[in-house]
Amino acid sequence: MVGAFVLPTGSVEAQTKGGVVNVATVGEPPTLDPMVSTADLVGIITQHFYETLFTFDKNWKVTPLLAETMPEISADGKVYTIKLRQGVTFHDGSTMTSEDVVASLKRWMDLASRGKQTAGIVAGVEAVDANTVRMTLKEPYAPLLALLAFNNSAAVIMPAKKMENPLKEPVGTGPYKLKERKADQYIQLVRHDGYKSRSGEPDGYGGARKQIVDEIRFVPVPDANTRIEGAISGQYDYVDALPVEAFSRLQGQKTTEPVLLKPFGWPVFVMNTKQGIMSNLDARLAVRTALSEEDMLTAAFGSKDFFALNPAMFPKDYIWHTTAGTEGAYNLADPEKAKALLKKAGSEGKPLRILTSRQYEFHYKMAQVAAEYLKQAGFAVELMVVDWATLTQRRTDPALWDIYITHSPFLPEPALTGLLSESSPGWWSTPLRKKTVDAFNSEPDPAKRPALWAEVQKAIYAEVPGIKIGDFNALSAKSPKLDGVVPAPWPYFWNASIK
């Protein structure tokens, strides 16, 4: 199972309204259109002003958000009838109807990598009446609701009349709305007075979303050390994505305290299987054979309090955990065997371009260690260090890179993993991928899906579209004055208050 959120104590209703939450992020988001980006930074910010039909509760189960209830699903698993909440308004004052939802879902399937992943199995999306939408599938598709709930490459609902590409103005239904964006300075969100919250108590990303603070201000702070000092000085109320070696410095401070998510997720080296040196399987096997995941994790996180060597795509306490395909394929650090594979690929001496960023310092540290091991194996490594916004743009062009470094939280539904999508950067598209992923996605019986996931993991290890480096814990920091913030992979600040 997936670890549950740690819920705050006390009633949000009893907290005093007002104040500003200042949030330090890893940098400037490449866009404020959550459909067209898989960057976590985009989802963290935009989830405050855009909403989806469904979201995840504290136990990572799909729960309604803009939908009134969970959908009615036909006996054959192909027809989803979704009732919408009534009286929900957009930030421009217009009322959300099925017309907006249908147009938004079609835009999502046209533009979003996860929408494109879904589009192939969707026969149609239509409005039944003003408050009801029907999705008809060509075949059963188990991950559909999780994909509709995910805030990354997200199926957000926009007004039908305001969904240009690129977007001219972000208009959503969320508890906060965009007031001002000053590039490289801040993104200012203010309360949406017309917001209609769900009733009841907060429940993970679901349940009530209370607008307690007046304003949320996201400030790009690309340098990790500057983020640490900003937390300790009390400049920011919440500081995201800190190097784990800062943990001891944050302890015992009056101005800030550490927030640790354990385990958080996994770093991954994504291979460009579409063109260039990594489009050859033997070259990808050579990379994996050359690397020491242990040395990379040690360089990135220091103590084993903050990482674990684990080739499986999920940790042991997850329902999806399996060791299938991993034997003899992890933490090999064998340059001689890697040299032989590189020679077989005919790729000796060809540049290997590794795209990374220092805004996530652990990415960069892993890249440095990897470069040395790969050079020993005969690769001509070019380390391309750019800011995160540039990386997320460059990775969409297969001509510009061979490996890029990213990470993912452990997700409640494996089909949400970007590596599995043919349209995500990396572009893994083979008969084995199709066979295993399609079988996994089309199985509606939850009891049968873990065994099918094991076959997908085998395919990942056989064809190396990416290399999982291990498991890691994530560190953030928050002010003791900040209440109601639940530790979560994508931190959110509705229900938050300032003492």
Side-chain angles (χ1 to χ4, degrees), residues 210-292:
K210 304 295 185 182
Q211 309 156 285
I212 302 168
V213 297
D214 296 330
E215 180 183 323
I216 307 165
R217 190 174 287 230
F218 294 95
V219 181
V221 186
D223 182 73
N225 289 323
T226 306
R227 289 201 299 282
I228 295 167
E229 296 307 323
I232 291 170
S233 70
Q235 183 178 359
Y236 304 109
D237 302 297
Y238 192 93
V239 183
D240 196 29
L242 291 173
V244 291
E245 57 263 31
F247 186 81
S248 58
R249 282 199 67 197
L250 297 172
Q251 288 181 305
Q253 299 281 350
K254 292 181 179 179
T255 52
T256 193
E257 57 196 34
V259 178
L260 193 66
L261 282 124
K262 181 179 181 178
F264 172 80
W266 49 292
V268 57
F269 280 32
V270 179
M271 308 293 180
N272 179 355
T273 66
K274 195 170 191 175
Q275 70 181 72
I277 186 173
M278 288 295 99
S279 63
N280 182 287
L281 174 58
D282 285 314
R284 298 197 298 274
L285 289 167
V287 170
R288 188 173 72 194
T289 303
L291 294 178
S292 166

Side-chain angles (χ1 to χ4, degrees), residues 124-450:
V125 183
E126 59 188 326
V128 177
D129 58 41
N131 301 304
T132 311
V133 172
R134 181 185 295 130
M135 291 188 77
T136 305
L137 310 183
K138 298 172 186 174
E139 58 197 49
Y141 189 62
L144 178 63
L145 292 179
L147 283 161
L148 292 176
F150 200 27
N151 80 332
N152 180 294
S153 186
V156 296
I157 306 306
M158 309 172 172
K161 295 175 181 176
K162 294 186 177 177
M163 51 178 64
E164 306 90 349
N165 182 36
L167 284 177
K168 290 180 180 174
E169 59 172 322
V171 178
T173 60
Y176 290 86
K177 60 184 178 180
L178 180 66
K179 182 177 181 181
E180 185 177 23
R181 178 182 188 179
K182 283 200 171 182
D184 299 317
Q185 293 185 50
Y186 60 81
I187 292 170
Q188 181 188 21
L189 308 184
V190 295
R191 185 185 290 115
H192 168 37
D193 289 327
Y195 183 65
K196 185 178 181 181
S197 173
R198 294 193 74 90
S199 59
E201 290 299 311
D203 186 7
Y205 292 96
R209 293 184 169 188
K210 304 295 185 182
Q211 309 156 285
I212 302 168
V213 297
D214 296 330
E215 180 183 323
I216 307 165
R217 190 174 287 230
F218 294 95
V219 181
V221 186
D223 182 73
N225 289 323
T226 306
R227 289 201 299 282
I228 295 167
E229 296 307 323
I232 291 170
S233 70
Q235 183 178 359
Y236 304 109
D237 302 297
Y238 192 93
V239 183
D240 196 29
L242 291 173
V244 291
E245 57 263 31
F247 186 81
S248 58
R249 282 199 67 197
L250 297 172
Q251 288 181 305
Q253 299 281 350
K254 292 181 179 179
T255 52
T256 193
E257 57 196 34
V259 178
L260 193 66
L261 282 124
K262 181 179 181 178
F264 172 80
W266 49 292
V268 57
F269 280 32
V270 179
M271 308 293 180
N272 179 355
T273 66
K274 195 170 191 175
Q275 70 181 72
I277 186 173
M278 288 295 99
S279 63
N280 182 287
L281 174 58
D282 285 314
R284 298 197 298 274
L285 289 167
V287 170
R288 188 173 72 194
T289 303
L291 294 178
S292 166
E293 280 82 354
E294 184 168 13
D295 283 359
M296 291 160 68
L297 290 166
T298 301
F301 303 108
S303 165
K304 286 192 176 179
D305 290 339
F306 300 110
F307 74 85
L309 279 169
N310 177 23
M313 301 300 287
F314 286 87
K316 284 185 179 177
D317 58 345
Y318 283 65
I319 192 173
W320 307 110
H321 174 75
T322 173
T323 58
T326 64
E327 189 175 344
Y330 182 75
N331 199 36
L332 302 178
D334 190 337
E336 293 307 313
K337 188 176 178 182
K339 272 183 186 175
L341 285 163
L342 187 60
K343 186 175 182 180
K344 185 181 174 186
S347 300
E348 300 157 293
K350 292 181 180 177
L352 175 66
R353 298 162 301 171
I354 300 177
L355 184 60
T356 191
S357 172
R358 294 200 71 162
Q359 281 165 256
Y360 293 104
E361 187 71 9
F362 68 98
H363 291 189
Y364 176 68
K365 288 179 177 178
M366 289 188 299
Q368 287 182 302
V369 174
E372 295 308 310
Y373 275 96
L374 292 167
K375 287 172 187 174
Q376 289 178 39
F379 284 96
V381 178
E382 291 182 11
L383 212 54
M384 302 189 299
V385 185
V386 297
D387 64 83
W388 187 247
T390 301
L391 184 147
T392 62
Q393 290 164 349
R394 283 195 189 176
R395 69 184 179 186
T396 62
D397 185 344
L400 298 181
W401 60 278
D402 301 301
I403 296 172
Y404 86 86
I405 302 174
T406 187
H407 66 271
S408 171
F410 293 113
L411 302 171
E413 164 57 60
L416 298 174
T417 306
L419 202 63
L420 305 187
S421 172
E422 291 176 301
S423 60
S424 284
W427 305 283
W428 182 33
S429 180
T430 67
L432 181 60
R433 188 218 71 87
K434 180 171 175 54
K435 177 185 173 185
T436 56
V437 173
D438 286 1
F440 175 67
N441 286 344
S442 62
E443 176 52 65
D445 185 348
K448 294 178 181 176
R449 296 188 76 224

